[in-house]
Amino acid sequence: MSPVFPMLTVLSMFYYMCLRRRARTATRGEMNSRRAIESNTRALPINVEIVQYAKEVLDFSSHYGSENSMSYTMWNLAGIPNVYPSSGDFTQTAVFRTYGTWWDRCPSARLPFKRTPPTFCSQDYVELAFEEPVYPTAVHILETYHPGAVVRILACSANPYSQNPPAEVRWEILWSEAPTKVNGPQARQFTPCIKQINFPTNLIRLEVNSSLLDYYTELDAVVLHGVKERPVLSLKTSMIDMNDIDEDEDEEKYGCGMDTLNKQFSIVTLREWPTNGYFDKLPYELIQLILSHLTVPDLCRLAQTCKLLYQHCCDPLQYIHLSLQPYWARINDTSLEYLQSRCTLIQWLNLSWTGNRGAISVSGFSRFLKVCGSELVRLELSCGHFLNETCLEVITEMCPNLQELNLSSCDKIPSQAFNHIAKVGSLKRLILYRTKVEQTALLSILNFCSELQHLSLGSCVMVSTYTM
């Protein structure tokens, strides 16, 4: 056979393979185009939307009204609207305790904590339970007077009406935005664009910032729209689950992933490096000053880079003032355990809003204070519903230098527990707003805490007016 024929045979086979691949590619493209067209015209499976008002108000940080009344209290958020669509000042609405900036500028105002992330601007919150767990599709907030205070909407994986508590409580941010100034006090229905989540919920949390308001904001009702089955994303959009993409970003930006923060607190194995560049030449105090501008999660991340920065990031001097309130959804016993070695010199500690639904135990809190309480001067525990009499006893024993104690809205502490506070003779500021303190304990505190300068007893229903 002539050698020309094998060459022609090879070329023919190659040409045939190219034509076949091209035909296969074209067929696949036509099929994909056909599927795309069909998906755009074919309706997605019907999933009936459930619309429900809040069934119950589970928790809140403050309200304008009295505990013995329904006027201007958070309990008005449960059920159907009382006022909307009317505008004006109505006692049947829910009103938080403060507005504007005067509260922070008055002589009795407390100094702010450093290292508060700029994305956290919440001042108050309210948690609402709904009848049916759903995958949220919309949240409508009916604001009847001076709207614009809501800055975050969150959903919780825990079902408040379930007999079996979940192994892990997960919070997901549905919407978040910096406070904005709304022109005019007229009523409105606020419906922000929320993101999809991958678990059903019947527990919604609203967080507010009223610093830009000219008067108290008033809320009438909250409406939750959702479906029983997880919505299927349309093929018009990407088939990738956007929750999976945004999860890490949200955790870093807003702080709602418990495992992530615990890993950052944990000690990591660092590789050996011959030098640390020019950082070795900087004075120790200068590096400490630079790192003092970082948030707590950033400080923990930086500790994983090299031994020099690990030493600086774990220096107890970086944790003289520590606020964990911005990360309330991520703090648990493990977090406190990781922080113990770094907080031996801590003087200001903010654990407000943390530890609820079993995240922090009495034993975990007690172990932390036994190691880190000796230098504490200021302790913020607002809305700490894990606190009980044992916790107050540990505080009075382990914090001999304590001057400021905030137990605002710690309504789970029994009345007799407040007698322990009288043992802290160095107290100068005591916040007992919405607690069950009684007259006997109060008189004991006033008798033995001779340096007390500021005492808050708002909404303490077990204290008679003549005691004042």
Side-chain angles (χ1 to χ4, degrees):
M1 181 180 292
S2 175
V4 178
F5 290 102
M7 181 63 67
L8 291 175
T9 303
V10 172
L11 291 175
S12 300
M13 293 179 61
F14 178 74
Y15 182 68
Y16 171 74
M17 293 173 62
C18 291
L19 289 176
R20 186 176 179 182
R21 179 175 299 176
R22 182 177 180 182
R24 186 184 305 168
T25 304
T27 304
R28 187 183 299 117
E30 292 175 359
M31 292 175 60
N32 290 339
S33 299
R34 190 179 303 115
R35 289 174 182 170
I37 294 173
E38 291 176 357
S39 65
N40 290 338
T41 58
R42 185 174 65 241
L44 293 174
I46 298 177
N47 201 347
V48 178
E49 187 175 56
I50 299 175
V51 179
Q52 49 186 333
Y53 291 95
K55 178 182 178 180
E56 183 182 359
V57 177
L58 296 180
D59 188 24
F60 56 91
S61 56
S62 76
H63 57 185
Y64 180 84
S66 170
E67 296 293 294
N68 294 329
S69 172
M70 289 297 293
S71 299
Y72 299 122
T73 61
M74 287 297 119
W75 296 301
N76 288 325
L77 272 177
I80 62 175
N82 299 311
V83 174
Y84 187 85
S86 299
S87 297
D89 187 1
F90 292 91
T91 60
Q92 299 94 326
T93 58
V95 182
F96 290 96
R97 197 181 184 199
T98 66
Y99 72 91
T101 58
W102 64 271
W103 196 265
D104 295 324
R105 292 185 298 173
C106 63
S108 60
R110 290 161 290 176
L111 295 175
F113 276 80
K114 298 179 180 179
R115 282 204 169 104
T116 300
T119 54
F120 181 81
C121 55
S122 303
Q123 297 174 334
D124 280 292
Y125 74 87
V126 58
E127 293 181 1
L128 305 169
F130 295 80
E131 183 69 32
E132 294 288 337
V134 294
Y135 292 92
T137 56
V139 176
H140 301 281
I141 303 172
L142 307 184
E143 303 172 284
T144 57
Y145 202 42
H146 288 277
V150 178
V151 293
R152 288 212 300 184
I153 304 175
L154 302 97
C156 185
S157 61
N159 186 341
Y161 301 120
S162 175
Q163 300 297 327
N164 301 318
E168 179 183 354
V169 177
R170 177 182 174 186
W171 285 93
E172 188 79 17
I173 295 177
L174 300 178
W175 172 85
S176 179
E177 194 173 284
T180 56
K181 179 74 171 180
V182 177
N183 295 326
Q186 290 76 21
R188 72 170 183 175
Q189 177 179 289
F190 181 51
T191 308
C193 182
I194 64 174
K195 75 171 187 178
Q196 291 186 5
I197 56 176
N198 57 9
F199 59 83
T201 182
N202 61 338
L203 176 53
I204 297 295
R205 176 178 172 123
L206 307 181
E207 293 185 359
V208 303
N209 183 310
S210 304
S211 60
L212 300 182
L213 301 184
D214 297 326
Y215 195 67
Y216 294 98
T217 188
E218 298 188 9
L219 311 179
D220 193 11
V222 176
V223 191
L224 175 62
H225 292 238
V227 291
K228 295 294 290 183
E229 295 184 5
R230 185 176 181 181
V232 179
L233 293 178
S234 171
L235 292 179
K236 294 180 183 178
T237 61
S238 173
M239 292 300 294
I240 301 175
D241 186 353
M242 300 307 294
N243 285 321
D244 297 336
I245 294 179
D246 296 339
E247 184 176 2
D248 294 337
E249 180 182 351
D250 288 339
E251 288 176 357
E252 293 177 4
K253 188 176 181 181
Y254 302 113
C256 286
M258 192 174 293
D259 293 337
T260 304
L261 191 62
N262 290 339
K263 291 177 182 178
Q264 293 167 5
F265 285 153
S266 62
I267 299 176
V268 295
T269 304
L270 300 173
R271 291 189 295 172
E272 294 286 346
W273 292 96
T275 64
N276 290 300
Y278 291 103
F279 267 92
D280 281 333
K281 303 182 183 300
L282 293 177
Y284 191 92
E285 294 80 4
L286 180 57
I287 300 178
Q288 287 285 292
L289 179 61
I290 295 173
L291 299 187
S292 67
H293 296 279
L294 296 178
T295 62
V296 175
D298 290 338
L299 202 63
C300 296
R301 294 187 192 101
L302 188 62
Q304 304 177 26
T305 56
C306 67
K307 283 192 172 182
L308 176 64
L309 291 178
Y310 175 83
Q311 178 184 0
H312 282 280
C313 292
C314 295
D315 192 321
L317 292 176
Q318 287 290 339
Y319 301 86
I320 298 294
H321 296 176
L322 177 62
S323 177
L324 297 178
Q325 182 180 1
Y327 321 104
W328 59 265
R330 306 163 65 182
I331 301 300
N332 58 10
D333 283 347
T334 307
S335 307
L336 296 182
E337 183 178 354
Y338 286 145
L339 285 169
Q340 279 186 16
S341 60
R342 308 182 185 190
C343 297
T344 54
L345 300 178
I346 190 170
Q347 296 178 6
W348 289 13
L349 176 62
N350 186 1
L351 285 175
S352 296
W353 301 7
T354 65
N356 297 335
R357 293 182 175 85
I360 295 180
S361 64
V362 173
S363 58
F365 176 77
S366 301
R367 286 194 302 269
F368 182 82
L369 280 193
K370 288 178 181 178
V371 176
C372 310
S374 59
E375 302 296 325
L376 268 181
V377 175
R378 176 179 174 183
L379 182 57
E380 305 283 339
L381 295 171
S382 175
C383 303
H385 300 313
F386 66 92
L387 297 171
N388 61 7
E389 184 173 1
T390 301
C391 294
L392 288 192
E393 187 175 3
V394 171
I395 290 173
T396 57
E397 292 180 357
M398 297 295 133
C399 307
N401 300 312
L402 197 62
Q403 297 181 9
E404 298 185 25
L405 178 61
N406 183 3
L407 299 175
S408 173
S409 292
C410 294
D411 53 358
K412 301 295 190 296
I413 302 177
S415 302
Q416 69 276 7
F418 293 94
N419 289 296
H420 294 285
I421 299 178
K423 303 175 185 177
V424 188
S426 57
L427 269 184
K428 295 181 179 180
R429 183 187 186 92
L430 179 61
I431 310 298
L432 298 177
Y433 169 74
R434 287 191 65 232
T435 61
K436 297 177 180 177
V437 61
E438 290 182 333
Q439 297 168 188
T440 304
L442 180 59
L443 292 174
S444 179
I445 293 171
L446 294 174
N447 186 33
F448 290 99
C449 299
S450 56
E451 298 184 22
L452 197 62
Q453 300 174 4
H454 181 94
L455 177 64
S456 176
L457 295 173
S459 294
C460 293
V461 297
M462 303 185 73
V463 176
S464 300
T465 54
Y466 70 81
T467 306
M468 304 300 296

